[in-house]
Amino acid sequence: MEGRRYLIRGGTPLRGEIEVLGAKNAVLPALACTLLAKGEYCLKNVPKVRDVFCMLRILSHLGGEYQFEGSNLFIDTSSICRVDIPYELASQIRASILFLGSLTTAYGEAVVPLPGGCAIGKRPVNFHEKGLRELSAEITLDHGNLIAKAKKLKGAEIVLDFPSVTATENLMMASSLAEGETIIKNAAREPEVVFLAEMLKAMGADIRGAGEDTIYIRGKKKLKPVKIEIIPDRIEAGTFLILGALFPENEIVIKNFPLEYLETPIKKFIEMGGNIKTLGKGKIKVQRAKRLSPLEINTAPYPGFPTDLQPIFAVLLTQAEGVSVIRENLFENRFLYALELNRLGAKIHIEDRIAIISGPTKLTGSPVKATDLRAGAALLLAGLLAENTTTLYSAELVERGYENLPERINKLGGSIIVEDKSSGYESN
Ligand code: EPZ
C-alpha cells in the first residue's frame, strides 16, 4: 500500500545472524512458467514480498489458485481460463511482461499491457516483442496492450541486441512448447535464467546452454507441473554484505550466502577493505578494515557487477577514504538515490551515467525518500550508518524485494520503526 515510512535510528553497531531468503527474481519467471502446464506446483523457499504477491494476483485473475504454507507456495493452474492481464495489475509490476511468452505458447494468445517505465529508466520491451514475432507470433499493439496470437509458435534463431534477463526468460518459456528448435544468442547468463532452465527441464523441456550466451531449446508437445526449490537471492545477499560492513565493530553472520553468484561484488568488497570468513554450510562472517579504500565500479550483465548492487555499495563508499567512481551501464536513470544520500551528508556528484563519490563523509539523519526498490534498500542502510534518526518515506518500495527487513535488522540490534500512513503522518 502507498505511504509507509521507516524511522531509522542509526549509529549502533549490529551483531547476530541473518538469513538470505529465496530470490524474488527467480520466483517471478517461475510463476509465469506455471502457465506452461496445467496442474499443481510447489515452489519452495519463496520470499513473501510485494512483487511476488503482485504476480500472484495476476495468476489468480487468470484463474490460477495459490496458497502459502510457510515459505512453500502451492499453485494450481488447472483452472486457468483467461489470457488477458488487466492494466491495474500489470502497471504495478514490470515483470508482468513475463506472462506474454507462456500465455502465447500455451494458450495461443495473450493480452498484456505494455509495462510502463519506472524510476530507473524507460525499460522498453522491444526485445520481448521482436523475439516472439520471430517465433511466428502475430503481435499488435492496441491502446497500450500487446496482443499476441499464435496457433503454434515455430522455433527460430533469435539474436538479442542486449543480454536482457526477462527477454531471455520470456523467450525460453515461449520456445519450450514451440515446434522445432530455437536458438537464443547473446542470452542473459544470470543465475535466475539458469534456475528457470532447471525448472523447465524438470517440467520435461529440452533446454541446454543456460548460463552461457547461447541457449538451445527443442520444443515439446506437453510439459508437466513440478515441485522445485527457489535459489537464494544474490541481491539480498549483497545487501547483507554491506549491512555487515557498515561499522568495523559489526559482527554479522549471513546464512545461505550464495558465494558462487557473487564473485564480482565480493572481489570489489575485498578491494574496498571488506572481508569474508567462510564458516561452512553456506554461512559466512562479514568483517571489514577500519579504513575503507575507494573503488571504481562498472555495472554489467552477469557475471559482471550487478546494477542492482551499485546503490548498495555506494552507501559504504561514502565512508571510503578517497574518490570512488560508479559507471551505470544498464539503466539510464539509476542515481536518484544519490541525491537522497547527499541529504544525509554524502558528497556524490552525478554526471549522466557516472557517480563520483568523495569520502569519507559523516552522515546524519534526515528525511529521505525511496525512488525504487534498491534505492530504498540503500537509504535504509545509510540510515543505520547515520547519526540520529532518518525517516525513509515510500518505504513500501523496499518491501517489493525484501521480506520483513526492518524486523530482521532489529533482531541484529538495529532500531527501525515501521509506520503506515494510517498512523496519521503526512508523507512529504
Ligand atoms: C531484470 O530486469 C531484473 N528484474 C532487474 O532487477 C535487474 O536490474 C535487471 O534485470 C538487470 O540485471 C527481474 O529479473 C524481474 P533487462 P529486466 O531486460 O529484465 C534494455 C530489481 O530490483 N532492454 O536485463 O527488465 C533495458 O532498458 C530489478 O529486482 C531493452 O532495451 O532488465 C536495460 O537498459 C530492477 N529492451 C537493459 O536492456 C528490452 O526489450 C537491461 O534490461 C528489454 C531490455
PDB file of all heavy atoms in Angstrom, residues 7 17 22 59 95 111 131 136 157 174 241 262 269 297 302-303 343 404 416:
ATOM      1  N   LEU A   7      11.261   4.767  10.471  1.00  0.00           N
ATOM      2  CA  LEU A   7      12.049   5.695  11.299  1.00  0.00           C
ATOM      3  C   LEU A   7      13.275   4.912  11.734  1.00  0.00           C
ATOM      4  O   LEU A   7      13.172   3.967  12.512  1.00  0.00           O
ATOM      5  CB  LEU A   7      11.220   6.143  12.504  1.00  0.00           C
ATOM      6  CG  LEU A   7       9.832   6.747  12.181  1.00  0.00           C
ATOM      7  CD1 LEU A   7       9.072   7.112  13.453  1.00  0.00           C
ATOM      8  CD2 LEU A   7       9.969   7.946  11.263  1.00  0.00           C
ATOM      9  N   GLU A  17      22.879 -13.078  13.516  1.00  0.00           N
ATOM     10  CA  GLU A  17      22.809 -13.869  12.286  1.00  0.00           C
ATOM     11  C   GLU A  17      21.583 -13.464  11.464  1.00  0.00           C
ATOM     12  O   GLU A  17      20.506 -13.235  12.021  1.00  0.00           O
ATOM     13  CB  GLU A  17      22.685 -15.353  12.682  1.00  0.00           C
ATOM     14  CG  GLU A  17      22.841 -16.309  11.517  1.00  0.00           C
ATOM     15  CD  GLU A  17      22.963 -17.744  12.001  1.00  0.00           C
ATOM     16  OE1 GLU A  17      24.036 -18.104  12.538  1.00  0.00           O
ATOM     17  OE2 GLU A  17      21.982 -18.493  11.846  1.00  0.00           O
ATOM     18  N   GLY A  22      14.775 -16.686  -0.454  1.00  0.00           N
ATOM     19  CA  GLY A  22      14.697 -17.063  -1.867  1.00  0.00           C
ATOM     20  C   GLY A  22      14.735 -15.853  -2.790  1.00  0.00           C
ATOM     21  O   GLY A  22      14.344 -14.752  -2.395  1.00  0.00           O
ATOM     22  N   LEU A  59      -1.934 -14.083 -11.540  1.00  0.00           N
ATOM     23  CA  LEU A  59      -2.197 -15.516 -11.740  1.00  0.00           C
ATOM     24  C   LEU A  59      -3.623 -15.850 -11.304  1.00  0.00           C
ATOM     25  O   LEU A  59      -4.350 -16.572 -12.009  1.00  0.00           O
ATOM     26  CB  LEU A  59      -1.184 -16.332 -10.916  1.00  0.00           C
ATOM     27  CG  LEU A  59      -0.784 -17.711 -11.427  1.00  0.00           C
ATOM     28  CD1 LEU A  59      -0.311 -17.681 -12.877  1.00  0.00           C
ATOM     29  CD2 LEU A  59       0.320 -18.295 -10.536  1.00  0.00           C
ATOM     30  N   ALA A  95       7.485  -6.991 -14.340  1.00  0.00           N
ATOM     31  CA  ALA A  95       7.733  -8.416 -14.622  1.00  0.00           C
ATOM     32  C   ALA A  95       6.473  -9.084 -15.163  1.00  0.00           C
ATOM     33  O   ALA A  95       6.504 -10.233 -15.588  1.00  0.00           O
ATOM     34  CB  ALA A  95       8.200  -9.115 -13.355  1.00  0.00           C
ATOM     35  N   VAL A 111      -3.050 -11.069 -23.876  1.00  0.00           N
ATOM     36  CA  VAL A 111      -3.254  -9.613 -23.901  1.00  0.00           C
ATOM     37  C   VAL A 111      -2.530  -9.057 -22.684  1.00  0.00           C
ATOM     38  O   VAL A 111      -2.972  -9.271 -21.542  1.00  0.00           O
ATOM     39  CB  VAL A 111      -4.751  -9.244 -23.839  1.00  0.00           C
ATOM     40  CG1 VAL A 111      -4.901  -7.721 -23.886  1.00  0.00           C
ATOM     41  CG2 VAL A 111      -5.517  -9.916 -24.971  1.00  0.00           C
ATOM     42  N   GLY A 131      11.396 -10.958 -30.409  1.00  0.00           N
ATOM     43  CA  GLY A 131      11.663 -12.399 -30.283  1.00  0.00           C
ATOM     44  C   GLY A 131      10.420 -13.225 -30.511  1.00  0.00           C
ATOM     45  O   GLY A 131      10.446 -14.234 -31.230  1.00  0.00           O
ATOM     46  N   SER A 136       7.103 -16.558 -34.742  1.00  0.00           N
ATOM     47  CA  SER A 136       5.869 -16.559 -35.556  1.00  0.00           C
ATOM     48  C   SER A 136       4.624 -16.130 -34.802  1.00  0.00           C
ATOM     49  O   SER A 136       3.506 -16.397 -35.265  1.00  0.00           O
ATOM     50  CB  SER A 136       5.590 -17.955 -36.162  1.00  0.00           C
ATOM     51  OG  SER A 136       6.733 -18.437 -36.758  1.00  0.00           O
ATOM     52  N   GLU A 157      15.993 -18.840 -34.864  1.00  0.00           N
ATOM     53  CA  GLU A 157      17.248 -18.377 -34.272  1.00  0.00           C
ATOM     54  C   GLU A 157      17.052 -16.904 -33.899  1.00  0.00           C
ATOM     55  O   GLU A 157      16.723 -16.086 -34.755  1.00  0.00           O
ATOM     56  CB  GLU A 157      18.404 -18.516 -35.264  1.00  0.00           C
ATOM     57  CG  GLU A 157      19.702 -17.981 -34.672  1.00  0.00           C
ATOM     58  CD  GLU A 157      20.919 -18.337 -35.511  1.00  0.00           C
ATOM     59  OE1 GLU A 157      21.069 -19.518 -35.893  1.00  0.00           O
ATOM     60  OE2 GLU A 157      21.700 -17.416 -35.791  1.00  0.00           O
ATOM     61  N   ALA A 174       8.543 -19.301 -24.072  1.00  0.00           N
ATOM     62  CA  ALA A 174       7.745 -19.351 -25.311  1.00  0.00           C
ATOM     63  C   ALA A 174       8.205 -20.500 -26.194  1.00  0.00           C
ATOM     64  O   ALA A 174       7.401 -21.260 -26.741  1.00  0.00           O
ATOM     65  CB  ALA A 174       7.867 -18.021 -26.047  1.00  0.00           C
ATOM     66  N   LEU A 241      25.862  -8.096   2.827  1.00  0.00           N
ATOM     67  CA  LEU A 241      27.326  -7.957   2.883  1.00  0.00           C
ATOM     68  C   LEU A 241      27.659  -6.526   3.324  1.00  0.00           C
ATOM     69  O   LEU A 241      28.455  -6.295   4.233  1.00  0.00           O
ATOM     70  CB  LEU A 241      27.880  -8.221   1.489  1.00  0.00           C
ATOM     71  CG  LEU A 241      29.318  -8.648   1.320  1.00  0.00           C
ATOM     72  CD1 LEU A 241      29.648  -9.866   2.153  1.00  0.00           C
ATOM     73  CD2 LEU A 241      29.591  -8.934  -0.164  1.00  0.00           C
ATOM     74  N   LEU A 262      28.206 -14.404  -6.510  1.00  0.00           N
ATOM     75  CA  LEU A 262      28.603 -13.023  -6.161  1.00  0.00           C
ATOM     76  C   LEU A 262      30.098 -12.775  -6.320  1.00  0.00           C
ATOM     77  O   LEU A 262      30.664 -11.916  -5.638  1.00  0.00           O
ATOM     78  CB  LEU A 262      28.163 -12.735  -4.724  1.00  0.00           C
ATOM     79  CG  LEU A 262      26.650 -12.532  -4.551  1.00  0.00           C
ATOM     80  CD1 LEU A 262      26.218 -12.783  -3.119  1.00  0.00           C
ATOM     81  CD2 LEU A 262      26.234 -11.134  -4.991  1.00  0.00           C
ATOM     82  N   PHE A 269      34.279  -5.947  -2.906  1.00  0.00           N
ATOM     83  CA  PHE A 269      34.107  -5.753  -1.456  1.00  0.00           C
ATOM     84  C   PHE A 269      35.459  -5.887  -0.756  1.00  0.00           C
ATOM     85  O   PHE A 269      35.820  -5.076   0.096  1.00  0.00           O
ATOM     86  CB  PHE A 269      33.112  -6.813  -0.944  1.00  0.00           C
ATOM     87  CG  PHE A 269      32.796  -6.741   0.524  1.00  0.00           C
ATOM     88  CD1 PHE A 269      32.098  -5.661   1.052  1.00  0.00           C
ATOM     89  CD2 PHE A 269      33.190  -7.755   1.386  1.00  0.00           C
ATOM     90  CE1 PHE A 269      31.795  -5.598   2.410  1.00  0.00           C
ATOM     91  CE2 PHE A 269      32.889  -7.696   2.747  1.00  0.00           C
ATOM     92  CZ  PHE A 269      32.199  -6.619   3.257  1.00  0.00           C
ATOM     93  N   ILE A 297      33.615   1.216  -9.998  1.00  0.00           N
ATOM     94  CA  ILE A 297      32.658   0.142 -10.296  1.00  0.00           C
ATOM     95  C   ILE A 297      32.026   0.402 -11.666  1.00  0.00           C
ATOM     96  O   ILE A 297      31.568   1.512 -11.936  1.00  0.00           O
ATOM     97  CB  ILE A 297      31.550   0.075  -9.216  1.00  0.00           C
ATOM     98  CG1 ILE A 297      32.135  -0.432  -7.884  1.00  0.00           C
ATOM     99  CG2 ILE A 297      30.387  -0.814  -9.662  1.00  0.00           C
ATOM    100  CD1 ILE A 297      31.132  -0.475  -6.734  1.00  0.00           C
ATOM    101  N   TYR A 302      25.462 -10.073 -15.901  1.00  0.00           N
ATOM    102  CA  TYR A 302      26.155 -11.176 -15.210  1.00  0.00           C
ATOM    103  C   TYR A 302      27.119 -11.878 -16.165  1.00  0.00           C
ATOM    104  O   TYR A 302      26.810 -12.029 -17.347  1.00  0.00           O
ATOM    105  CB  TYR A 302      25.093 -12.191 -14.750  1.00  0.00           C
ATOM    106  CG  TYR A 302      25.612 -13.200 -13.759  1.00  0.00           C
ATOM    107  CD1 TYR A 302      25.603 -12.933 -12.400  1.00  0.00           C
ATOM    108  CD2 TYR A 302      26.135 -14.410 -14.195  1.00  0.00           C
ATOM    109  CE1 TYR A 302      26.088 -13.860 -11.480  1.00  0.00           C
ATOM    110  CE2 TYR A 302      26.626 -15.335 -13.298  1.00  0.00           C
ATOM    111  CZ  TYR A 302      26.602 -15.051 -11.949  1.00  0.00           C
ATOM    112  OH  TYR A 302      27.090 -15.964 -11.060  1.00  0.00           O
ATOM    113  N   PRO A 303      28.317 -12.222 -15.697  1.00  0.00           N
ATOM    114  CA  PRO A 303      28.822 -12.197 -14.312  1.00  0.00           C
ATOM    115  C   PRO A 303      29.515 -10.896 -13.916  1.00  0.00           C
ATOM    116  O   PRO A 303      30.278 -10.891 -12.957  1.00  0.00           O
ATOM    117  CB  PRO A 303      29.831 -13.350 -14.331  1.00  0.00           C
ATOM    118  CG  PRO A 303      30.390 -13.338 -15.723  1.00  0.00           C
ATOM    119  CD  PRO A 303      29.286 -12.881 -16.620  1.00  0.00           C
ATOM    120  N   ARG A 343      21.450  14.263   1.062  1.00  0.00           N
ATOM    121  CA  ARG A 343      20.662  14.918   2.119  1.00  0.00           C
ATOM    122  C   ARG A 343      21.110  14.432   3.494  1.00  0.00           C
ATOM    123  O   ARG A 343      20.913  15.082   4.505  1.00  0.00           O
ATOM    124  CB  ARG A 343      19.165  14.640   1.951  1.00  0.00           C
ATOM    125  CG  ARG A 343      18.509  15.340   0.763  1.00  0.00           C
ATOM    126  CD  ARG A 343      17.063  14.937   0.595  1.00  0.00           C
ATOM    127  NE  ARG A 343      16.315  14.997   1.842  1.00  0.00           N
ATOM    128  CZ  ARG A 343      15.833  16.133   2.353  1.00  0.00           C
ATOM    129  NH1 ARG A 343      16.056  17.268   1.728  1.00  0.00           N
ATOM    130  NH2 ARG A 343      15.162  16.129   3.478  1.00  0.00           N
ATOM    131  N   ASN A 404      10.195  -8.431   5.419  1.00  0.00           N
ATOM    132  CA  ASN A 404      10.385  -8.080   6.842  1.00  0.00           C
ATOM    133  C   ASN A 404      11.776  -7.559   7.170  1.00  0.00           C
ATOM    134  O   ASN A 404      12.337  -7.915   8.207  1.00  0.00           O
ATOM    135  CB  ASN A 404      10.140  -9.325   7.719  1.00  0.00           C
ATOM    136  CG  ASN A 404       8.668  -9.645   7.807  1.00  0.00           C
ATOM    137  OD1 ASN A 404       7.837  -8.767   7.581  1.00  0.00           O
ATOM    138  ND2 ASN A 404       8.359 -10.899   8.080  1.00  0.00           N
ATOM    139  N   ILE A 416      14.517   0.203  13.934  1.00  0.00           N
ATOM    140  CA  ILE A 416      13.715   0.722  12.811  1.00  0.00           C
ATOM    141  C   ILE A 416      12.243   0.605  13.188  1.00  0.00           C
ATOM    142  O   ILE A 416      11.769  -0.477  13.516  1.00  0.00           O
ATOM    143  CB  ILE A 416      13.966  -0.094  11.522  1.00  0.00           C
ATOM    144  CG1 ILE A 416      15.454  -0.118  11.169  1.00  0.00           C
ATOM    145  CG2 ILE A 416      13.140   0.482  10.369  1.00  0.00           C
ATOM    146  CD1 ILE A 416      15.804  -1.022   9.998  1.00  0.00           C
TER     147      ILE A 416
END
